[in-house]
Amino acid sequence: MYGGGTTFEGIKAEKKDDPVKLAEFEARIERGEKIEPTDWMPALYRKQLIRMIEQHAHSEIIGALPEGTWITRAPGFKRKMALMAKVQDEVGHAQLLYSAAETLGKSREEMIDDLINGKSKYSNIFNYPTFTWADCCFISWLVDAGAIVNQLANAKGSYGPYCRALDRICAEESFHLKYGHHCVIYLAAGTEIQRQMFQDALNRWWPPMMHFFGPSDKISVHSDTLMKWKVKMGSNDDMRNQFLDMYVPKIRELGFVIPDPKLNKNEETGRWEYTEPDWEEFKRVINGDGPCNKERLAVRRTAEERGRWVREALRSPKTVYQMPLA
Amino acid sequence: MDKKVEEIIKQTQLQLTDLKLQKPVFGGRSGKHSEHLQPLLDEMSEVFRSDPSAEW
Amino acid sequence: MKSLDPRVNRLPEIDIENSVSRKDPLDQLGTYEVFVQPKEGKPFQHEGALHASDREMAFVLAKESFTRRFQCISLFVVRTTNVFVSDTTEDSESVYDRIKGDVDKGGNQQSYEIFNLYKRGKQHVHIGSVSASSPELAMAAAKNKLPPSKTVYNIWTVKTSDIRFTQPDEMDLWNTLPDKKFRDASDYKGGDKLKEFLERSK
Amino acid sequence: MSDALKELIYKIADDQFILGHRNSEWTGFGPMLEEDIAFSSMAQDKIGHSFALYTMLRELGEQDPDTVAFTRNANQFHNCIFVELPNGEYDFSLVRHFLFDTAEALRFEMLLNSSYEPLALLAKKIRGELRYHTIHANTFLKKLGSGTEESISRLQKSLDYSLPYAMGMFEPSPYESELISEGIFGGEEKLREQWTKKLRK
């Protein structure tokens, strides 16, 4: 469900790839055909894809925690069952994405260990606390909306297993977005307490939401290679602008005030203007120093440790680990 | 419902103590509960009760 | 740990700092491929992979990992190691052109299921079964008996006996799937509430 | 007659609702991703069953499901104590799932021919879901009950701890004879015998 904010630090060309194979590989992508696990691929392509899909999978499994904070308190049957199904989907999407990344040669367990040990990153936005039910509704609607902008773009990428996973995830997430919007409409049309609860949530969550798509193009490491290989499908600012185009009107329609007086669409350029997000905070949060980073990883580690006796009892020498096929 | 509990337990190394020796824990059916239920209900209805006139 | 999540506050003490040491061997479970038949008369299609301890558990877990919504009338699982995979071709070359359709004079003929990939990036689709004395010869038999009408980029074949099929008496597992509207966008139409709100706040 | 019927529906609905709620706490915390997903689906089924039962109660003159489920106090709930207990470790949650769902599947099998038609219809409708809950419980019990030293001792400890509470599922109601004579429900005694028979075979 969540993507974006993927950081491709310091991409340097790997050791020389076989030029003939590289030409065939690039011609295939040029024709719009997908790369499959058994194809030859440049080392850099494999490395960046593992990083990207792994970060997306981690974002899903960690993303289940801030919304999961409200799973036992969802008000009424409709919200309770929807939130149970939605948080379950996040775990389900993590399972799909880890499988897609496993086809590139890294086992799920190594990926989860790297997550827990802080070696592997995940989306900035899940390191913030969900103080109220309205915070949870903000995630269900707008963070989901942001993730879908990224995922629809990535679904047109070049790696087959990731596209298959994203096709399924995007189909399943249409319910998430509508559920989230439905919740926020009821808050907007509700009592003064409900309206204020969401306005407060919007004030808290807008800055991390602007960080969600990653550093602005001016300062982010820009890689033509990853664009050519359809690993990176659009610039961070493109994604951010798409999101603002689609959702700022919907937020304002409900009578809420977005906490950035400069936020405005420049009709000539067709681009949104806004207060420059604080990219220092973004780096700090991505690298482990946000309000809930420690709790998220501690909870994930506890789930792994408490489940170890189950996995060890299930493990049998006969059914040894194998990379998924597709 | 063909799988019988005994059948399942027999396929494991678990022992099933004699049920007649068990002293059933009754009371729930007539509203007499453990100390765990009310906190569960308070937590579950926290948002619901935060604004009783609201529609969520 | 003091958390906003009441569930976290109920967890046994969890230390913040300590990290996880890599376990050797990994307590990683075996891998299984999952195939789903969405509707009567439609072919089985590959849906993805999962990790489980054995075929029976893979079947149980596959039902919820892969058929939580949309449609399903039957599902089967097979261990990934039991799937035989052909070369993968591209552009306009069909992988069947690389297979010699020689006649299988081998003994101990067994039933194999055949799956074709018609587009890179899409799912393998079940097209039928053949009998053969080896996986390679099963693909050759498929070339003769199940000639494809369009370009095929990859073939999977699986011994029928390696598959855990849905049993006839298990078909009711998906009876209520269409009723689970709460997992579908159609259950969350906020239009009326929004209209009412907009009129009220005019 | 409707008091007997209401009491029966309330206790089945409250059992499903409270256990579904407890089991939903595991979502995102499961021992492995695939089991996290399956366990959450069964919790959603239980909440769905309770909603269907509370809707039946509304047709018998009770308040709407949200009010009934979210605003009553503990002393107004009719669930057995077994389902309200905290989740503990995964061994207890699994053993409770196994013992409770074995009984629940039997209960609804008895309700298949209930003279109260809505109950009979519901029993028929959710039969596939209850079948899945028991297949899942049986698969995990068999596997973990003969897995490692640790998994066997954990399940044994949870089984011994759970049995008195599990017997509490069959507390006879003040309307037993009326429910039986009206053909609404075969009675807790018969249910317990079938369940014990299954346990004791």
Side-chain angles (χ1 to χ4, degrees):
Chain A
M1 151 165 138
Y2 306 108
T6 325
T7 46
F8 298 99
E9 300 91 344
I11 302 156
K12 41 189 176 3
E14 296 295 314
K15 53 183 176 1
K16 259 340 249 122
D17 288 313
D18 172 332
V20 172
K21 289 205 174 74
L22 181 59
E24 277 171 12
F25 168 80
E26 290 185 341
R28 188 174 310 132
I29 294 177
E30 202 53 47
R31 280 198 307 277
E33 284 196 277
K34 307 289 184 189
I35 305 299
E36 291 292 355
T38 47
D39 292 341
W40 176 89
M41 53 185 91
L44 177 61
Y45 180 80
R46 182 185 302 275
K47 180 165 165 274
Q48 289 307 345
L49 265 175
I50 290 179
R51 180 197 301 268
M52 185 172 162
I53 303 172
E54 184 178 2
Q55 283 183 2
H56 189 173
H58 296 330
S59 299
E60 297 271 353
I61 195 73
I62 296 291
L65 298 177
E67 274 181 298
T69 301
W70 290 90
I71 208 168
T72 60
R73 298 176 278 181
F77 275 98
K78 189 174 177 75
R79 298 302 181 217
K80 192 176 184 67
M81 290 194 69
L83 192 56
M84 283 167 77
K86 182 170 189 309
V87 178
Q88 174 193 41
D89 277 351
E90 269 118 50
V91 179
H93 296 167
Q95 193 265 344
L96 291 173
L97 291 163
Y98 283 126
S99 290
E102 285 172 60
T103 62
L104 290 159
K106 185 171 182 182
S107 83
R108 182 196 298 178
E109 190 176 336
E110 285 163 313
M111 287 187 261
I112 290 185
D113 284 355
D114 286 348
L115 166 66
I116 290 174
N117 294 337
K119 285 214 210 76
S120 182
K121 296 188 179 50
Y122 55 91
S123 177
N124 67 307
I125 204 149
F126 302 117
N127 294 310
Y128 292 86
T130 44
F131 289 104
T132 69
W133 169 249
D135 289 39
C136 186
C137 296
F138 181 95
I139 293 180
S140 298
W141 180 27
L142 293 170
V143 174
D144 240 69
I148 287 178
V149 167
N150 282 322
Q151 284 163 179
L152 287 174
N154 288 341
K156 303 191 194 70
S158 62
Y159 190 56
Y162 192 30
C163 296
R164 277 187 284 272
L166 284 171
D167 287 347
R168 191 179 183 88
I169 288 170
C170 290
E172 298 198 343
E173 285 197 352
S174 64
F175 131 65
H176 297 187
L177 186 66
K178 290 280 275 175
Y179 155 74
H181 192 208
H182 192 269
C183 287
V184 177
I185 290 173
Y186 273 69
L187 293 176
T191 64
E192 213 17 64
I193 291 177
Q194 288 179 291
R195 285 191 60 80
Q196 194 53 50
M197 194 194 280
F198 187 78
Q199 181 63 58
D200 296 344
L202 181 58
N203 297 342
R204 274 191 292 271
W205 285 86
W206 190 253
M209 190 69 229
M210 290 300 281
H211 285 150
F212 177 77
F213 300 92
S216 69
D217 296 353
K218 309 198 277 298
I219 57 168
S220 76
V221 174
H222 191 64
S223 159
D224 298 331
T225 316
L226 294 181
M227 286 276 195
K228 187 169 74 179
W229 288 349
K230 292 186 185 164
V231 171
K232 178 83 175 157
M233 295 306 292
S235 81
N236 293 350
D237 286 343
D238 290 344
M239 299 293 137
R240 201 176 350 258
N241 266 280
Q242 261 183 52
F243 170 78
L244 295 172
D245 264 345
M246 288 156 68
Y247 292 97
V248 169
K250 286 193 164 74
I251 298 170
R252 286 177 171 159
E253 175 186 41
L254 294 174
F256 293 115
V257 174
I258 295 176
D260 178 0
K262 284 215 191 106
L263 180 66
N264 183 18
K265 182 161 184 175
N266 179 324
E267 290 313 332
E268 287 88 33
T269 63
R271 302 291 274 191
W272 283 83
E273 283 149 6
Y274 40 77
T275 310
E276 187 64 20
D278 169 1
W279 296 114
E280 283 320 308
E281 179 187 346
F282 173 74
K283 280 201 196 74
R284 247 187 339 91
V285 171
I286 282 276
N287 292 309
D289 192 17
C292 293
N293 293 57
K294 285 211 171 19
E295 174 185 332
R296 301 292 184 236
L297 294 190
V299 167
R300 200 54 241 163
R301 182 186 319 112
T302 304
E304 292 299 317
E305 297 291 334
R306 289 174 79 203
R308 188 182 293 200
W309 70 273
V310 175
R311 297 192 304 275
E312 274 170 3
L314 294 181
R315 196 182 72 233
S316 67
K318 292 203 305 313
T319 56
V320 84
Y321 174 77
Q322 167 93 20
M323 254 166 52
L325 288 179
Chain B
M1 248 325 294
D2 45 1
K3 279 284 176 298
K4 308 197 179 36
V5 173
E6 175 65 17
E7 212 177 277
I8 301 295
I9 291 188
K10 237 191 286 164
Q11 295 169 49
T12 69
Q13 282 136 55
L14 302 174
Q15 315 302 330
L16 194 58
T17 53
D18 187 347
L19 291 169
K20 288 189 218 49
L21 305 178
Q22 300 299 337
K23 191 174 153 317
V25 176
F26 287 153
R29 299 306 188 201
S30 49
K32 293 192 276 305
H33 290 277
S34 72
E35 76 280 15
H36 302 295
L37 185 56
Q38 193 58 53
L40 179 152
L41 298 173
D42 296 342
E43 177 179 318
M44 182 170 10
S45 55
E46 175 192 318
V47 178
F48 215 79
R49 282 183 288 102
S50 69
D51 189 348
S53 60
E55 206 195 336
W56 300 93
Chain C
M1 168 184 306
K2 203 62 207 75
S3 164
L4 290 169
D5 186 339
R7 304 176 307 165
V8 174
N9 293 333
R10 284 194 282 269
L11 288 176
E13 45 47 67
I14 32 178
D15 42 47
I16 299 269
E17 290 321 326
N18 125 357
S19 66
V20 169
S21 53
R22 181 67 42 83
K23 293 177 284 303
D24 186 26
L26 299 169
D27 61 0
Q28 183 72 65
L29 305 180
T31 313
Y32 293 79
E33 302 297 331
V34 179
F35 297 80
V36 169
Q37 181 176 28
K39 266 198 285 226
E40 206 52 57
K42 297 223 36 200
F44 276 88
Q45 179 176 308
H46 180 245
E47 285 296 334
L50 59 76
H51 294 295
S53 60
D54 55 68
R55 229 173 26 177
E56 203 45 40
M57 182 166 288
F59 178 83
V60 169
L61 297 175
K63 177 194 180 291
E64 293 307 331
S65 285
F66 290 100
T67 62
R68 287 199 298 284
R69 45 169 64 81
F70 309 132
Q71 285 172 312
C72 171
I73 57 159
S74 185
L75 134 81
F76 67 72
V77 295
V78 58
R79 258 186 73 204
T80 302
T81 45
N82 292 332
V83 181
F84 298 90
V85 181
S86 75
D87 287 350
T88 307
T89 53
E90 60 185 309
D91 204 357
S92 55
E93 185 200 358
S94 175
V95 68
Y96 277 103
D97 299 342
R98 296 190 183 180
I99 294 173
K100 298 190 301 311
D102 35 29
V103 178
D104 181 356
K105 291 189 284 306
N108 130 13
Q109 297 273 324
Q110 285 186 303
S111 165
Y112 283 81
E113 305 302 325
I114 306 290
F115 305 86
N116 285 346
L117 181 68
Y118 295 108
K119 188 167 199 288
R120 281 167 162 267
K122 289 301 173 195
Q123 279 75 16
H124 283 73
V125 179
H126 181 242
I127 59 160
S129 6
V130 295
S131 62
S133 57
S134 78
E136 293 72 20
L137 288 168
M139 290 186 188
K143 179 177 171 122
N144 302 327
K145 297 201 188 70
L146 304 163
S149 52
K150 34 190 183 159
T151 314
V152 176
Y153 294 99
N154 186 253
I155 309 165
W156 288 350
T157 185
V158 177
K159 228 179 267 170
T160 309
S161 54
D162 285 334
I163 292 175
R164 196 310 191 175
F165 288 99
T166 297
Q167 305 307 313
D169 68 341
E170 290 173 327
M171 302 295 267
D172 62 0
L173 288 178
W174 291 280
N175 280 358
T176 52
L177 188 54
D179 309 336
K180 295 189 187 294
K181 289 281 174 284
F182 67 98
R183 290 185 182 148
D184 188 75
S186 61
D187 221 23
Y188 302 95
K189 291 195 176 59
D192 308 341
K193 191 78 178 180
L194 181 59
K195 224 191 291 93
E196 174 217 315
F197 165 71
L198 294 177
E199 261 130 36
R200 237 192 307 135
S201 52
K202 253 217 232 34
Chain D
M1 190 274 281
S2 83
D3 287 347
L5 187 57
K6 276 192 214 166
E7 195 271 345
L8 174 70
I9 298 174
Y10 257 116
K11 71 179 174 190
I12 305 174
D14 290 351
D15 272 356
Q16 304 273 356
F17 184 60
I18 298 299
L19 186 55
H21 174 87
R22 274 289 188 225
N23 287 346
S24 75
E25 290 181 34
W26 279 104
T27 308
F29 287 32
M32 59 195 206
L33 298 184
E34 287 85 356
E35 171 57 2
D36 197 314
I37 297 161
F39 205 69
S40 171
S41 278
M42 295 186 291
Q44 290 165 49
D45 284 349
K46 289 205 165 5
I47 300 287
H49 298 166
S50 73
F51 181 74
L53 291 159
Y54 289 130
T55 306
M56 249 183 248
L57 283 168
R58 189 172 55 193
E59 274 124 38
L60 293 168
E62 298 295 289
Q63 291 179 299
D64 67 275
D66 275 357
T67 310
V68 165
F70 286 82
T71 60
R72 277 181 295 160
N73 273 323
N75 53 25
Q76 299 165 297
F77 269 80
H78 302 273
N79 57 287
C80 61
I81 292 175
F82 194 20
V83 299
E84 72 201 37
L85 299 174
N87 287 341
E89 292 301 314
Y90 208 67
D91 41 84
F92 173 69
S93 285
L94 262 184
V95 165
R96 175 165 61 184
H97 162 43
F98 172 68
L99 294 174
F100 180 87
D101 279 329
T102 303
E104 208 60 7
L106 280 170
R107 185 188 293 277
F108 274 98
E109 220 162 284
M110 286 167 67
L111 288 170
L112 274 175
N113 35 51
S114 167
S115 59
Y116 185 63
E117 216 209 339
L119 271 178
L121 286 175
L122 179 64
K124 189 162 170 296
K125 181 167 166 253
I126 65 173
R127 193 167 195 190
E129 288 178 4
L130 292 175
R131 172 197 297 282
Y132 179 74
H133 295 189
T134 40
I135 291 175
H136 176 276
N138 296 344
T139 305
F140 271 80
L141 246 293
K142 264 187 287 184
K143 203 64 199 177
L144 297 179
S146 46
T148 57
E149 265 315 298
E150 183 178 12
S151 71
I152 294 165
S153 68
R154 274 174 174 266
L155 290 192
Q156 187 63 60
K157 181 171 62 56
S158 290
L159 190 59
D160 298 341
Y161 170 76
S162 298
L163 281 178
Y165 291 105
M167 303 300 287
M169 290 190 284
F170 312 110
E171 181 175 356
S173 100
Y175 306 99
E176 284 301 301
S177 50
E178 195 179 330
L179 289 170
I180 295 167
S181 61
E182 300 282 331
I184 296 170
F185 172 59
E188 297 297 336
E189 184 56 32
K190 185 166 171 246
L191 176 61
R192 191 173 55 74
E193 264 157 32
Q194 285 192 357
W195 183 77
T196 313
K197 202 153 54 63
K198 268 203 198 309
L199 281 187
R200 244 296 136 267
K201 198 95 179 112

